[in-house]
Amino acid sequence: MDIARTPATPDGNVEMADAAVEPKDPPEIRREDYRPFAWLVPEIRLDFELGLDSTRVRAKLTVAHNDKAPHSPTIRLNGDGIVPTSVTVDGSPTQAYAMDGDDLILTLDGKAHEIGIETEIDPSANSQLMGLYASSGMLCTQCESEGFRRITFFPDRPDVLSTYTVRMSGPKDQFPILLCNGNKVATGEDGDTHWAEWHDPWPKPSYLFALVAGDLVARSDSFTTMNGREVELNVWVREGDLDRTEHAMESLKRSMKWDEETFGREYDLDLYNIVAVSDFNMGAMENKGLNVFNTKYVLADPETATDGDFDGVEGVIGHEYFHNWSGNRITCRDWFQLSLKEGFTVLRDQLFSQDMGSEPVKRIEDVRVLRAAQFPEDSGPLAHPIRPDSYREISNFYTATVYNKGAEVIRMMRTMAGEEAFRKGTDLYFDRHDGEAATCEDFIKAIEDGVGLDLTQFRLWYSQAGTPKIVVDLSHEGEEAVLKLTQMVPVTPGQGDKKPMPIPLKIALFDRDSGTHSGEQLIILDKASDTFRFAGFADKPVLSINRTFSAPVTIQRDTLRSDLVFLAQNDDDPFARYEAMQDLMVGHLVAASKGELSDSEREAGHIDIVGALRSVIEDEALDDLMRGELLLMPSQTYLAEQMSAADPARIHEEREALKRVIGCELQDEMHALYDRAATLPFSHSAEAKGARKLKTLILTYAAAHDPQKAAELAAHQYDGSDNMTDRQGALMVLTGIDSAERTGKLLDFYNRYQGNALVIDKWFALQASSLHPKVIEHVKALADHPDFTLKNPNRVRSLFMAFAGNPHGFHAADGEGYRLIADLILELDPINAQTAARFVPALGRWRKLEPGRSALMREQLERIAAAPKLSRDTFEQVTRSLG
């Protein structure tokens, strides 16, 4: 499953239809308490009589004793908000069952039985969007992690694997398309009703079950696998969206080919279906053979989607396809092992995207997301290992730690092993555990055995939370460069003293005079402190460290500003060059925000930063995609993370001041760059994408230096745009400027795209993330807009998640931004608890702020915690955030 992706840094009356009352203090689930389920369920047959307001579900479970578990005469079948209308055992009605809360408990005398259960559910009332629910006249499901129990009673845990046979029937006019997992084996009609039967031959856990019924059309194609099998491919959408599915289909075919070539994985069914759904809590879901996607990650054309949207579609399509092996064929034993499938699959989709586009730019983008989302998580009250030890609500652990840090940990194994050896390890993993519910330990052991590495100490990465800090000291003795490294893993909730972990660091030592180095080296820091010596240096070299971001750590070093300028101009590793440029600006802005710079130091910093940026503009060896990364300023959120008691207003003031200096000093060079970029016609080439990236970036610098001139230039770009990237970029700049152009273009954008939900989401998000001084007033007004609804997660995220990620508005000195998000959480929680809970971490950073804002933020958390009938999703997040 892909968590709903959002950019790392941003530069009405509602029916409470599904407001289930949850216990305020749910029980803690612990990894150490895992026991195999006492009963196997090798087969399940499901019969659905479909209706938007009433769907009848008949389930037949074949159950048998599990020889690998202690015998139990009872079987617990999980439910959530459903009641059985009939229960049979071996074909005969029975009353020998009891309800334990939502769960159904049956007593069984023999070793094997057939259990029949009938339920009736109302999909239209399911605002939580888990289980079977209605979305704009169609029916669809979302079962990860515990949604299947909202459909029928079942041991809803990932280590119970069953083969599924499903019969679906419903009105032909309402549900002309009937889709399910696996292969379609039969169809038929009965008057106004029709039916379809599906069979999935591959045993799977209940969280991978999927069903879709509705009025859909498909873009169809085929793919021939490496062993010559032809697979039918379909991307199913609403009638009016079909012309925006070409990119999704091409991304799917590229994913299938790449996975064969890179990991040796071949698709295993005759059919692969993707369905786009407008109401969806996550980004997409990898259900076997029937992937259900948020429309955001399927629909794309140049008129309505940005270059970033196109990349997002390709990455998420790849992610869900790659899950077919890393998640479906081998699934998780329990939810503590979530990173087994998600961390590995995120790495696979990152490598895929690198190969499809710019490898260095993709690497920088992934690190930026990690630092924006996971590093704060690792240093806050919600910190947890990539394999947690306990949870109260599993939906709260679909986190950047499990996904993004999990990917970085596996990437480190790949770095230490080398690409070829790592492939041998993954081949062994797939061969050894195919068809099983496995653990993170199973994966590590397969890599260990396949590669020949001893990963005993490396396992600490799975059990210890917190981002390691590496303290670097480079000295020079005679003809040697002496590198001393010290690692510290910080204290996190529930974890005190930490043990040193193996940290692979790619380094290079540059000669100052020639601007070159003798080769990149990989060193492993596996002690609390270690010293590395390098001979052959008559003078002290310049250190380039953690090249390619070889380890998810922070680097602390006393580096001369002149050395950072040197690396920003000369480093041949694109990530390290980007990092030097970021460090140059971060060091200046943090010191300025703390009031530590004299006037002369501030001016000297400006001169060095401008000079380094000028060298980037003038470097003809750079492509524009990479040039854009090097010209990008560090985000305000990232700057705040570098301080113990950040003042968001002071950071904003200093960042804008530096932006003005850059815009002023480099205006001639930037305008020449803009004019050159503006001559390129639209295409999906790297060159054209880079040009579009530069145009918007240059507009942001111009807006800081000369807002009125920038407004005119942005309005001109908006009017002349033939693609969404340029149009949205221009509008993004205009939203932060109080001008006539802003009002006119916002109205034009809305009128142009009214009725296109995904583009109107952009309209909401652009205003909520703007630098306009009245952004809070704008957000409040937009919350009352006729197009806003709390029932659609995309729309909620477009307005309020964009605002929560906007430090300029969210951190208003009077606390109004915090109140706005707290009010949202309280109103949204009864409607969609999963979505509501994802807003809590924004308030959980109160310890990182200066005392005034810290108290205001904590006050809102306490207000939420005191509310009656909180969902367990939100309650857990709030109580952990308060600590």
Side-chain angles (χ1 to χ4, degrees):
M1 179 161 63
D2 189 275
I3 52 179
R5 301 185 180 191
T6 54
T9 55
D11 262 281
N13 290 330
V14 177
E15 297 177 11
M16 294 186 180
D18 194 29
V21 177
E22 297 281 0
K24 219 180 179 187
D25 191 13
E28 183 179 47
I29 310 298
R30 299 184 301 172
R31 181 167 59 88
E32 65 183 23
D33 294 336
Y34 170 82
R35 300 292 183 273
F37 195 59
W39 294 84
L40 302 174
V41 188
E43 296 180 23
I44 176 173
R45 293 187 63 90
L46 296 168
D47 189 329
F48 289 85
E49 293 181 11
L50 300 171
L52 291 174
D53 300 317
S54 176
T55 290
R56 187 175 299 276
V57 185
R58 298 181 182 87
K60 289 186 178 180
L61 286 60
T62 300
V63 303
H65 282 176
N66 183 358
D67 294 336
K68 296 180 180 179
H71 170 67
S72 172
T74 63
I75 183 170
R76 175 180 291 270
L77 303 177
N78 304 120
D80 182 1
I82 57 176
V83 294
T85 56
S86 72
V87 179
T88 63
V89 175
D90 298 328
S92 299
T94 181
Q95 297 298 319
Y97 68 88
M99 298 299 297
D100 181 14
D102 278 337
D103 293 349
L104 186 151
I105 312 294
L106 272 167
T107 301
L108 303 174
D109 295 330
K111 292 184 176 181
H113 299 277
E114 182 182 85
I115 300 171
I117 304 171
E118 187 171 311
T119 58
E120 189 168 342
I121 54 182
D122 181 358
S124 66
N126 185 356
S127 67
Q128 300 290 341
L129 309 185
M130 286 291 290
L132 178 67
Y133 64 93
S135 173
S136 304
M138 63 186 288
L139 292 175
C140 54
T141 57
Q142 171 57 27
C143 292
E144 187 176 357
S145 57
E146 295 178 340
F148 191 72
R149 64 186 63 187
R150 295 168 68 89
I151 297 172
T152 190
F153 292 93
F154 195 79
D156 192 11
R157 43 189 285 170
D159 61 343
V160 177
L161 307 182
S162 312
T163 57
Y164 282 66
T165 302
V166 180
R167 189 181 190 276
M168 309 158 59
S169 63
K172 286 185 293 185
D173 59 342
Q174 193 170 25
F175 307 121
I177 301 299
L178 303 173
L179 304 172
C180 197
N181 304 90
N183 296 316
K184 186 189 293 185
V185 294
T187 60
E189 296 186 7
D190 184 9
D192 294 334
T193 299
H194 70 149
W195 58 270
E197 186 168 303
W198 293 76
H199 178 66
D200 186 353
W202 301 100
K204 64 175 180 282
S206 55
Y207 83 84
L208 288 173
F209 171 77
L211 172 158
V212 174
D215 189 0
L216 300 166
V217 293
R219 178 180 293 274
S220 300
D221 208 326
S222 65
F223 179 82
T224 302
T225 70
M226 58 187 179
N227 285 317
R229 271 191 320 104
E230 186 168 310
V231 180
E232 178 186 340
L233 310 177
N234 297 298
V235 178
W236 296 92
V237 294
R238 302 282 185 189
E239 176 79 41
D241 293 331
L242 192 61
D243 59 350
R244 291 190 283 160
T245 58
E246 181 181 2
H247 179 64
M249 179 61 78
E250 293 305 310
S251 297
L252 174 58
K253 292 191 291 184
R254 286 193 293 269
S255 301
M256 299 176 82
K257 185 174 188 294
W258 183 89
D259 208 20
E260 290 183 345
E261 294 173 348
T262 308
F263 281 91
R265 300 299 104 196
E266 183 179 16
Y267 188 61
D268 53 9
L269 289 169
D270 300 330
L271 185 62
Y272 193 92
N273 284 317
I274 289 173
V275 181
V277 176
S278 57
D279 301 291
F280 205 67
N281 284 336
M282 296 290 192
M285 181 62 208
E286 70 267 18
N287 318 296
K288 185 73 178 181
L290 178 58
N291 290 182
V292 180
F293 272 65
N294 191 317
T295 51
K296 178 179 175 65
Y297 296 109
V298 172
L299 305 180
D301 66 5
E303 173 64 20
T304 60
T306 64
D307 293 334
D309 294 330
F310 274 89
D311 291 344
V313 169
E314 182 176 69
V316 176
I317 291 277
H319 181 95
E320 305 310 332
Y321 175 75
F322 302 145
H323 263 314
N324 189 61
W325 278 89
S326 51
N328 297 2
R329 287 284 287 262
I330 305 176
T331 194
C332 301
R333 187 196 71 179
D334 52 70
W335 290 121
F336 297 103
Q337 319 298 328
L338 183 58
S339 198
L340 171 74
K341 74 182 184 78
E342 295 300 349
F344 187 24
T345 304
V346 168
L347 174 64
R348 277 152 56 70
D349 85 50
Q350 289 176 350
L351 296 175
F352 166 66
S353 294
Q354 286 180 191
D355 287 349
M356 296 301 106
S358 168
E359 180 175 349
V361 170
K362 175 60 177 170
R363 187 67 186 129
I364 290 168
E365 290 172 347
D366 290 337
V367 174
R368 190 158 53 237
V369 170
L370 185 81
R371 286 173 167 169
Q374 198 280 319
F375 276 20
E377 192 170 84
D378 239 356
S379 64
L382 302 179
H384 58 276
I386 63 173
R387 185 187 57 202
D389 293 318
S390 66
Y391 64 80
R392 294 183 185 275
E393 172 51 57
I394 185 55
S395 64
N396 287 333
F397 278 89
Y398 285 78
T399 62
T401 295
V402 166
Y403 280 68
N404 302 76
K405 185 176 181 178
E408 295 296 327
V409 168
I410 298 174
R411 186 186 287 262
M412 284 191 290
M413 294 187 212
R414 184 173 181 262
T415 296
M416 293 187 295
E419 291 182 25
E420 287 189 21
F422 182 74
R423 166 67 189 272
K424 291 179 182 177
T426 59
D427 283 349
L428 181 60
Y429 168 69
F430 289 127
D431 291 343
R432 185 181 281 178
H433 298 289
D434 187 13
E436 294 181 0
T439 65
C440 294
E441 173 60 30
D442 292 329
F443 181 83
I444 301 169
K445 190 67 170 65
I447 300 298
E448 205 168 37
D449 293 347
V451 172
L453 282 176
D454 181 355
L455 297 174
T456 302
Q457 185 186 6
F458 189 86
R459 287 166 169 80
L460 290 168
W461 278 100
Y462 281 83
S463 59
Q464 293 189 161
T467 302
K469 178 192 292 183
I470 309 299
V471 179
V472 178
D473 178 59
L474 179 67
S475 60
H476 185 252
E477 299 176 5
E479 295 289 316
E480 283 189 325
V482 181
L483 179 62
K484 182 180 179 181
L485 300 177
T486 303
Q487 67 164 291
M488 296 178 290
V489 187
V491 172
T492 53
Q495 293 188 338
D497 293 337
K498 306 290 181 70
K499 297 178 181 178
M501 302 189 291
I503 298 173
L505 295 167
K506 293 181 180 179
I507 68 164
L509 295 166
F510 279 82
D511 176 74
R512 294 174 190 273
D513 294 331
S514 67
T516 62
H517 61 84
S518 59
E520 185 177 83
Q521 301 180 59
L522 178 66
I523 60 176
I524 310 293
L525 175 63
D526 56 7
K527 303 180 181 67
S529 183
D530 206 351
T531 300
F532 304 84
R533 294 179 176 272
F534 307 91
F537 291 94
D539 299 304
K540 184 179 178 181
V542 180
L543 173 67
S544 172
I545 190 168
N546 207 23
R547 293 159 67 83
T548 72
F549 199 72
S550 55
V553 299
T554 60
I555 302 292
Q556 178 180 314
R557 53 178 174 169
D558 292 327
T559 305
L560 295 173
R561 200 166 63 228
S562 59
D563 284 355
L564 291 176
V565 172
F566 173 92
L567 292 170
Q569 294 174 338
N570 296 287
D571 205 317
D572 60 340
D573 175 70
F575 176 81
R577 186 176 182 183
Y578 162 83
E579 187 79 324
M581 188 70 79
Q582 291 288 297
D583 285 349
L584 184 62
M585 289 190 272
V586 167
H588 175 85
L589 288 169
V590 167
S593 299
K594 291 180 177 180
E596 296 174 350
L597 295 182
S598 65
D599 289 344
S600 61
E601 288 171 329
R602 182 187 297 271
E603 183 179 357
H606 288 168
I607 291 171
D608 284 340
I609 291 168
V610 168
L613 292 173
R614 180 176 282 113
S615 72
V616 169
I617 294 174
E618 295 173 349
D619 188 346
E620 295 182 358
L622 285 172
D623 63 68
D624 282 343
L625 281 171
M626 188 64 204
R627 197 187 315 276
E629 294 297 332
L630 292 171
L631 292 175
L632 196 63
M633 291 183 69
S635 73
Q636 185 171 329
T637 301
Y638 182 69
L639 291 167
E641 285 298 316
Q642 313 312 306
M643 307 180 198
S644 57
D647 181 341
R650 185 66 186 272
I651 296 171
H652 177 74
E653 178 185 334
E654 292 294 344
R655 188 174 182 274
E656 288 302 298
L658 177 58
K659 195 191 296 183
R660 280 194 297 274
V661 169
I662 294 169
C664 177
E665 295 297 321
L666 295 175
Q667 60 179 313
D668 292 340
E669 293 91 335
M670 285 192 173
H671 280 299
L673 198 58
Y674 184 96
D675 291 341
R676 192 256 296 163
T679 63
L680 267 71
F682 178 85
S683 77
H684 289 294
S685 70
E687 182 183 19
K689 289 171 66 176
R692 291 191 289 274
K693 183 178 186 177
L694 281 181
K695 284 196 289 182
T696 295
L697 183 58
I698 291 167
L699 283 178
T700 64
Y701 281 115
H705 167 55
D706 188 342
Q708 190 52 50
K709 186 175 181 180
E712 294 170 3
L713 184 58
H716 179 73
Q717 176 173 306
Y718 180 96
D719 290 337
S721 297
D722 61 358
N723 63 87
M724 179 55 72
T725 304
D726 282 344
R727 187 171 293 119
Q728 178 177 305
L731 190 59
M732 181 270 290
V733 172
L734 285 170
T735 56
I737 301 173
D738 196 3
S739 66
E741 289 90 349
R742 176 189 190 274
T743 303
K745 300 314 176 191
L746 278 171
L747 181 60
D748 177 81
F749 192 90
Y750 178 81
N751 290 336
R752 183 189 298 246
Y753 295 109
Q754 188 174 9
N756 186 317
L758 292 179
V759 183
I760 296 302
D761 285 342
K762 297 177 187 294
W763 184 78
F764 278 96
L766 286 169
Q767 296 174 79
S769 59
S770 82
L771 297 179
H772 197 283
K774 295 183 178 180
V775 63
I776 291 180
E777 294 177 30
H778 296 161
V779 170
K780 288 180 178 179
L782 288 166
D784 291 329
H785 193 279
D787 285 351
F788 183 77
T789 174
L790 287 178
K791 291 185 177 181
N792 180 267
N794 280 358
R795 188 55 47 88
V796 174
R797 287 188 289 259
S798 72
L799 180 60
F800 286 103
M801 196 64 82
F803 175 75
N806 178 359
H808 171 60
F810 180 60
H811 292 296
D814 62 358
E816 184 62 20
Y818 309 148
R819 285 192 292 274
L820 200 59
I821 295 302
D823 288 345
L824 168 75
I825 292 169
L826 289 169
E827 187 176 5
L828 183 59
D829 187 59
I831 302 165
N832 189 325
Q834 275 194 29
T835 301
R838 292 189 179 278
F839 283 89
V840 175
L843 295 170
R845 303 301 293 160
W846 59 273
R847 293 175 180 83
K848 294 287 292 183
L849 300 180
E850 52 81 18
R853 287 179 173 83
S854 177
L856 291 170
M857 190 178 277
R858 181 183 172 91
E859 179 184 325
Q860 296 307 315
L861 283 171
E862 290 172 340
R863 180 164 74 94
I864 298 168
K869 300 181 180 179
L870 274 185
S871 71
R872 62 186 186 185
D873 306 67
T874 299
F875 179 75
E876 180 182 30
Q877 292 287 76
V878 171
T879 53
R880 289 177 65 209
S881 295
L882 285 168

